[in-house]
Amino acid sequence: MNPTTLLSKPAAQYRLLLLAAILQLAVPMIASAATENINGLYFKADDATGQIEELGHSLVTPDSSFLINSNSQPNGLKVTWSTCDTGVTDTADRKSVCLNASVENVSGSDIGPVYFPDLQGMQPISGDQTELRTALGVINPFAGAPFSQVYGGTDIYERYALRWIDFGGYQGGISIYQKKWGDEDMFNGSPILHAPLVVSRAAGQNVVRIAWQNNITLKPGEKWQSDDFVFTFHRGGWAKGIEPFAQFVRKMQVGALGRQTPVPSHVVHGLGFQTVWMVEGLESSWAPKPNFTFSDIGRIAQDAKANGLDELVLFGSNIVGHLPIVLDPRAGTEAQFLAGVQKARSIGVNVSAFASFSLDIGTPCTESACVPATPPPVPGARPPVSAAAPYAYDPTSASTFWTYHSELLPAMGSPLIISETYPTSQSPVLFEDQFPNRTAIINSMLTWANKGAPSFTMDEFQDAGFMSGGLVSTMQQLRNKKPVPNYAQATISGEPVMNLERAAAVLDYTWAWNDYIEAGPFLNAVRYPRINADVSSPRVAKMAFIDGLYMNVMLSKPNKSNGSALVSENPVMSKTLKQLSSLHKEFDDYFSNGTFIGESVLSEPVTPFIRTSKTSWIGGSIFDLGPFEYQKVFIKAYQLQTGSVKKLLIFVLNNDTVARSVTFKSELGLWIKPSAGASYTFTSYDESGTVSNSCTMTKGANNIWIGTTKTLAPLQMAICEVETQ
């Protein structure tokens, strides 16, 4: 089934074609000499007739309710499907259908799992460059070897982090989303964040299966009801197909799932933040050699501000997992910390301390405080000599991943964020998720806020399962108290490792071990928290800047850990960040008020780009993600409308190692259509933001416009602005 052909079909017919593709029931294999062996019973549609066909059996009439009977399943399964409200209005460029299904087990055997929707026989739209795009990643399912992959989703390190996908290419496709936000699906009676997405291509076949695996078991007589799913057939790239989902998200982000306080303005309009690693985790407590002390905060902030950054995260500033929140004495005193925070604020840099706790530290807390599990280290106190066996380094052990120190030989730890970013680091400890310590967390954070340090970055921000809504509502309670006059600029950031949908209600930006990630759909539909990208090279910095990712600048000195260097100690990155900061200010209206449409602005690829990776995991601190894959020509765009004025801003980055001129094609009318009598005007800028002839656009055939840049050096940008009424 090629989804782009369905835009020309009448609504009733494409509903029928959809129905036929989206339901599969796995039934027990029943084998006998007189019956047929079946371990999967599913339906497909005949594109010519639109009839629903039960594979291996006679045609089934397309009624809204029907009973499946066959020799292999004598008692049958009753399947009822119905349409539902999409909540959106169709346009000439996209049509949407909402469907759900219910299943009643009228057989004598257990049934499960249920796959719904189940798209089988999905054909390539753009050859092996056909894309399956999720909130935080893209795969090319028709390229490479046959595969089968489960995408678990839910957090900042998984491709399927939101319940939305798009299958297609630059000229059209199908977007699908589950009409659910914040709430959890069920997995064998227990809550999970999303029903897993199963994607596969069998050997010898050039079709892909995309199925939502509902891991439930229906006993005889039991019923199961699916959620509503919206299917949008669209022209153009993924940004056209995501429009209904973006409208749905805006409707859902209200009340407990909506932001109750605005994102601080410096995060909305800012380029990014810097992270410094104050004290390495294995550093001595009796003779510490920290990377930075609290007395250094002022000069770090001064350096960050000079390089276009106005947020500073102090990784390792606190003792991990303790309530009340305790500073790490190896980095200095409370007085030095508070003085540094105040100095940074006077410079125009907000400082966020690093808090690492879940809702349970292991011991129930009083109304005001919790007792730390172990006392914090005291500088100058030599630890007692231990008779324990010496530490044995095992590179295959998971525990080895948390044992990094730059002075160890070998340094241990694991490679972090391979590609062009930093090489090694350490992740903090994870504690169990319980719920008794909400009051203690609020009181401890309020205590620091009233002292003048109201911003926190949280490791392992978890809000899921039996503590659903707990951490989000805790942070909402904290923010609603507004304890200090400058609290409007206080930030709450973190590493959302469970429910990114709920975390969006309180986090201003993410702090995660991610390199550049293709987060365009999240940036388009959800926007906040701003998704971070850890950058330490001009290439990653420019890609992150163009996409509107919130840069986490975490630089290192030679043979030292990430976060051990000032920006000014890396002249190449310093120059790059200053340039990008200036451009970000010049085009801030697009970044903060526009809509990111990414490469969807193109009507065809500029250069071939096929991703080899199909893993579910896209980040994190302990996994080798393989080679850094990126386009040789990197083109992304933003939409912006102010009154009657409609604009596009198109960035073109020569991401290759050789100089080149770039030619690209775009159907501008898909994104900004001139009113009657109006026309397009074009302005181009070089990468300093100066008006130039770096990009020209001419009209071609079939409403396609052709853009051409001057010769661009490696990693040089051209910027094209299009405007109409």
Side-chain angles (χ1 to χ4, degrees):
M1 183 175 67
N2 189 325
T4 57
T5 65
L6 300 184
L7 279 174
S8 61
K9 296 180 181 295
Q13 190 171 2
Y14 67 75
R15 285 194 185 97
L16 183 60
L17 290 170
L18 265 176
L19 166 67
I22 62 179
L23 178 64
Q24 181 188 31
L25 298 170
V27 299
M29 180 178 291
I30 301 174
S32 73
T35 61
E36 179 182 2
N37 294 343
I38 296 179
N39 63 1
L41 189 66
Y42 59 97
F43 301 93
K44 72 175 185 179
D46 185 314
D47 280 340
T49 65
Q51 290 181 299
I52 300 172
E53 180 182 354
E54 182 187 346
L55 291 184
H57 301 284
S58 60
L59 291 176
V60 179
T61 56
D63 192 4
S64 61
S65 178
F66 49 87
L67 190 67
I68 305 171
N69 285 290
S70 70
N71 292 333
S72 61
Q73 189 65 46
N75 294 320
L77 306 168
K78 187 176 182 181
V79 180
T80 304
W81 63 272
S82 60
T83 58
C84 40
D85 182 16
T86 65
V88 296
T89 301
D90 288 344
T91 70
D93 301 321
R94 56 172 171 78
K95 295 180 180 180
S96 296
V97 179
C98 182
L99 292 172
N100 59 46
S102 64
V103 178
E104 181 181 0
N105 184 357
V106 294
S107 74
S109 305
D110 291 353
I111 301 173
V114 174
Y115 291 89
F116 179 87
D118 188 355
L119 303 174
Q120 304 206 22
M122 299 298 288
Q123 301 170 8
I125 292 174
S126 301
D128 54 7
Q129 293 190 74
T130 299
E131 296 178 344
L132 176 62
R133 187 173 292 265
T134 52
L136 299 180
V138 192
I139 68 168
N140 296 106
F142 293 96
F147 74 101
S148 180
Q149 178 67 56
V150 177
Y151 296 95
T154 78
D155 65 33
I156 194 66
Y157 297 128
E158 300 274 0
R159 295 182 193 273
Y160 185 53
L162 302 177
R163 286 170 271 203
W164 171 92
I165 67 167
D166 185 84
F167 175 90
Y170 290 89
Q171 296 182 346
I174 177 173
S175 283
I176 306 166
Y177 73 90
Q178 183 179 355
K179 290 185 74 174
K180 202 169 192 177
W181 185 262
D183 294 335
E184 296 162 322
D185 294 323
M186 300 300 291
F187 184 95
N188 289 335
S190 299
I192 60 171
L193 275 303
H194 299 172
L197 186 70
V198 182
V199 183
S200 61
R201 177 168 53 84
Q205 296 188 12
N206 198 37
V207 294
V208 167
R209 178 190 183 193
I210 306 170
W212 284 253
Q213 180 176 316
N214 300 278
N215 290 294
I216 57 175
T217 300
L218 292 179
K219 301 292 183 182
E222 289 185 338
K223 294 182 179 180
W224 174 79
Q225 175 65 49
S226 79
D227 291 318
D228 293 348
F229 279 80
V230 175
F231 303 78
T232 299
F233 303 94
H234 62 88
R235 296 180 60 232
W238 62 265
K240 182 60 63 175
I242 205 174
E243 289 174 351
F245 177 65
Q247 294 179 36
F248 169 74
V249 171
R250 286 191 287 273
K251 293 176 182 177
M252 296 302 295
Q253 288 185 314
V254 296
L257 294 175
R259 297 195 69 92
Q260 298 180 9
T261 54
V263 178
S265 61
H266 72 283
V267 175
V268 172
H269 302 286
L271 179 69
F273 62 101
Q274 181 177 5
T275 296
V276 292
W277 193 1
M278 304 297 291
V279 186
E280 293 183 18
L282 296 184
E283 186 60 45
S284 166
S285 63
W286 63 274
K289 293 181 291 183
N291 291 323
F292 297 101
T293 68
F294 295 141
S295 296
D296 295 321
I297 293 175
R299 71 182 182 92
I300 300 170
Q302 187 76 56
D303 188 79
K305 187 70 173 179
N307 287 281
L309 307 173
D310 47 21
E311 178 86 0
L312 175 61
V313 174
L314 305 181
F315 181 41
S317 60
N318 295 7
I319 299 298
V320 173
H322 285 266
L323 283 175
I325 298 170
V326 178
L327 294 173
D328 191 330
R330 295 174 296 179
T333 66
E334 179 180 310
Q336 291 169 334
F337 169 73
L338 294 174
V341 171
Q342 181 58 43
K343 175 65 175 176
R345 184 177 295 125
S346 69
I347 295 168
V349 174
N350 184 67
V351 175
S352 180
F354 203 86
S356 182
F357 49 73
S358 296
L359 288 186
D360 178 31
I361 308 304
T363 303
C365 301
T366 65
E367 285 295 302
S368 59
C370 290
V371 178
T374 58
V378 178
R382 180 185 290 270
V385 176
S386 173
Y391 179 80
Y393 175 58
D394 178 4
T396 66
S397 170
S399 63
T400 298
F401 290 132
W402 319 119
T403 56
Y404 172 84
H405 194 287
S406 57
E407 294 181 0
L408 291 175
L409 295 174
M412 301 188 192
S414 70
L416 276 190
I417 320 304
I418 311 300
S419 71
E420 296 188 21
T421 55
Y422 44 82
T424 49
S425 191
Q426 174 193 24
S427 286
V429 177
L430 168 65
F431 293 91
E432 293 183 3
D433 299 317
Q434 299 288 341
F435 202 56
N437 298 328
R438 179 195 300 238
T439 302
I441 291 173
I442 292 176
N443 288 343
S444 189
M445 294 177 83
L446 283 176
T447 296
W448 283 106
N450 284 314
K451 290 179 179 179
S455 296
F456 292 92
T457 298
M458 280 172 282
D459 175 55
E460 301 273 3
F461 187 93
Q462 299 189 49
D463 191 287
F466 50 80
M467 55 165 280
S468 296
L471 197 51
V472 165
S473 63
T474 298
M475 294 302 105
Q476 288 172 333
Q477 288 182 41
L478 173 72
R479 295 200 113 161
N480 288 335
K481 293 182 181 293
K482 297 186 175 79
V484 291
N486 60 353
Y487 199 63
Q489 293 306 308
T491 57
I492 293 179
S493 57
E495 182 186 25
V497 296
M498 285 295 186
N499 195 319
L500 191 54
E501 294 170 358
R502 282 203 288 265
V506 292
L507 294 186
D508 300 314
Y509 60 91
T510 64
W511 190 97
W513 300 108
N514 277 337
D515 192 359
Y516 169 81
I517 56 176
E518 297 189 80
F522 185 95
L523 304 173
N524 174 294
V526 186
R527 303 179 72 96
Y528 300 104
R530 290 193 64 183
I531 302 295
N532 76 281
D534 298 333
V535 302
S536 61
S537 76
R539 183 187 312 280
V540 175
K542 289 187 176 184
M543 292 169 67
F545 159 77
I546 290 172
D547 279 10
L549 296 170
Y550 201 47
M551 294 187 209
N552 178 10
V553 181
M554 197 173 184
L555 306 178
S556 62
K557 294 180 179 179
N559 299 316
K560 293 287 288 184
S561 62
N562 317 313
S564 61
L566 300 176
V567 177
S568 60
E569 295 179 278
N570 187 325
V572 174
M573 280 301 296
S574 177
K575 179 181 178 181
T576 300
L577 291 173
K578 288 176 180 177
Q579 176 195 72
L580 298 180
S581 175
S582 177
L583 284 175
H584 200 277
K585 291 175 182 176
E586 182 171 355
F587 298 109
D588 173 67
D589 206 15
Y590 287 96
F591 291 112
S592 58
N593 297 315
T595 299
F596 181 76
I597 62 172
E599 58 276 85
S600 292
V601 72
L602 299 174
S603 58
E604 62 182 53
V606 175
T607 56
F609 178 50
I610 297 175
R611 305 160 184 84
T612 61
S613 175
K614 296 181 176 67
T615 62
S616 178
W617 190 264
I618 56 169
S621 58
I622 64 174
F623 292 92
D624 184 343
L625 301 178
F628 182 31
E629 299 181 308
Y630 55 87
Q631 300 98 320
K632 298 300 183 182
V633 175
F634 192 80
I635 299 179
K636 304 293 182 73
Y638 292 80
Q639 278 177 310
L640 177 67
Q641 181 160 355
T642 306
S644 62
V645 178
K646 295 168 282 190
K647 296 181 179 181
L648 281 177
L649 189 69
I650 306 170
F651 290 97
V652 182
L653 170 67
N654 176 13
N655 217 12
D656 209 342
T657 56
V658 296
R660 65 191 301 165
S661 174
V662 176
T663 299
F664 61 93
K665 296 180 180 180
S666 175
E667 186 178 352
L668 299 179
L670 268 177
W671 310 107
I672 54 169
K673 192 170 185 177
S675 303
S679 60
Y680 293 117
T681 59
F682 304 95
T683 308
S684 65
Y685 307 84
D686 61 25
E687 64 178 14
S688 70
T690 302
V691 175
S692 69
N693 63 348
S694 63
C695 176
T696 60
M697 299 197 74
T698 57
K699 189 173 183 179
N702 300 318
N703 297 315
I704 300 297
W705 288 79
I706 302 170
T708 305
T709 72
K710 67 175 186 178
T711 299
L712 300 175
L715 297 184
Q716 186 177 9
M717 288 185 290
I719 304 168
C720 314
E721 188 174 38
V722 188
E723 181 176 325
T724 190
Q725 295 282 335

